[in-house]
Amino acid sequence: MKRLKNKFSTRKILITSMFIAIGVILPSIFHTFNMAGNTFLPMHIPILICAVICGGKYGGICGLIVPILSSFLTGMPPIFPVAIIMSLELGCYGLTLGILLKRRSIIVSLIVTLLVGRIVSCIANFIILGVVQNTFAFSAFLMGAFVTAFPGIIIQLILIPILYNFLKRRNYINV
C-alpha cells in the first residue's frame, strides 16, 4: 500500500477529478449558448491547467478521460471517431505539458505541447479515418486543427501562461 501511495497523491487525484468535471461541463456550457466549441476548444483548457498544477501523469489521465466521459454523459463529442481521437490528443497534451514544464518555460512548453498533440491527432485521424474508414483527408485535418481552431489556440497561448504565473506565485504548482 505504501508503494501505491507514493505513486498517486490523494490531493492530486481530487484536483484531477475536479478538472475532469470542468472538462465535461465547460464544453456543454459553450454548446448551450451556441458558441463554437471546435473554434474555442473549451475542453482543452481544463486538461492543460490540470497538467500545470498536478504534472504530466495526472494531466495525461485527465486528457484521456474527459472526451470519453463527456461523450457518454452528454453525447458530445460522438464516441467514434471524435472522442477517441480527442482522448489521444488531450491525453498527449496533459502528459507533454506536465513533462516539459519541468525543464522549459511555460510558453515554449505550451507551443511544443500543442504541436505534439496535433501530430498525435493527425496520426490517430489517419489510422482511424484513413485505414479503418478510408476517408482521411490531410487538408481537412489541417483546416480543422489549425485554421478553425486558431482562436482557441490563441486563447490557450494567452490564458494558460497567465494562469500558470498566477498559480506559481501562490505555490499551487507541482513544478
Side-chain angles (χ1 to χ4, degrees), residues 60-109:
I61 291 168
C62 184
L64 285 170
I65 292 172
V66 168
I68 303 295
L69 185 62
S70 180
S71 181
F72 284 125
L73 294 176
T74 68
M76 299 176 298
I79 191 71
F80 186 84
V82 182
I84 293 168
I85 293 169
M86 283 184 72
S87 181
L88 296 171
E89 176 188 13
L90 297 181
C92 179
Y93 282 167
L95 180 65
T96 305
L97 184 59
I99 290 171
L100 290 178
L101 272 177
K102 293 180 180 179
R103 295 175 191 88
R104 304 276 183 244
S105 72
I106 182 64
I107 296 293
V108 170
S109 298

Side-chain angles (χ1 to χ4, degrees), residues 15-173:
I15 291 169
T16 301
S17 300
M18 178 189 70
F19 282 113
I20 289 170
I22 293 169
V24 172
I25 294 167
L26 193 58
S28 296
I29 293 169
F30 270 70
H31 290 291
T32 299
F33 294 105
N34 291 325
M35 298 169 77
N38 60 342
T39 301
F40 295 114
L41 311 173
M43 192 177 282
H44 297 206
I45 293 170
I47 283 97
L48 295 170
I49 297 170
C50 180
V52 163
I53 294 173
C54 298
K57 176 172 44 176
Y58 296 93
I61 291 168
C62 184
L64 285 170
I65 292 172
V66 168
I68 303 295
L69 185 62
S70 180
S71 181
F72 284 125
L73 294 176
T74 68
M76 299 176 298
I79 191 71
F80 186 84
V82 182
I84 293 168
I85 293 169
M86 283 184 72
S87 181
L88 296 171
E89 176 188 13
L90 297 181
C92 179
Y93 282 167
L95 180 65
T96 305
L97 184 59
I99 290 171
L100 290 178
L101 272 177
K102 293 180 180 179
R103 295 175 191 88
R104 304 276 183 244
S105 72
I106 182 64
I107 296 293
V108 170
S109 298
L110 192 56
I111 290 170
V112 171
T113 294
L114 296 177
L115 289 173
V116 169
R118 279 170 173 71
I119 290 169
V120 167
S121 177
C122 181
I123 293 167
N125 269 287
F126 175 74
I127 291 169
I128 292 174
L129 298 177
V131 175
V132 175
Q133 292 185 342
N134 241 356
T135 60
F136 180 73
F138 188 68
S139 59
F141 167 78
L142 288 177
M143 185 69 136
F146 294 99
V147 177
T148 304
F150 187 72
I153 294 168
I154 297 301
I155 289 168
Q156 291 168 8
L157 289 172
I158 294 169
L159 181 64
I160 301 302
I162 290 170
L163 288 170
Y164 173 82
N165 289 322
F166 175 80
L167 295 168
K168 190 170 184 178
R169 280 192 303 264
R170 283 153 184 80
N171 294 319
Y172 289 128
I173 295 181

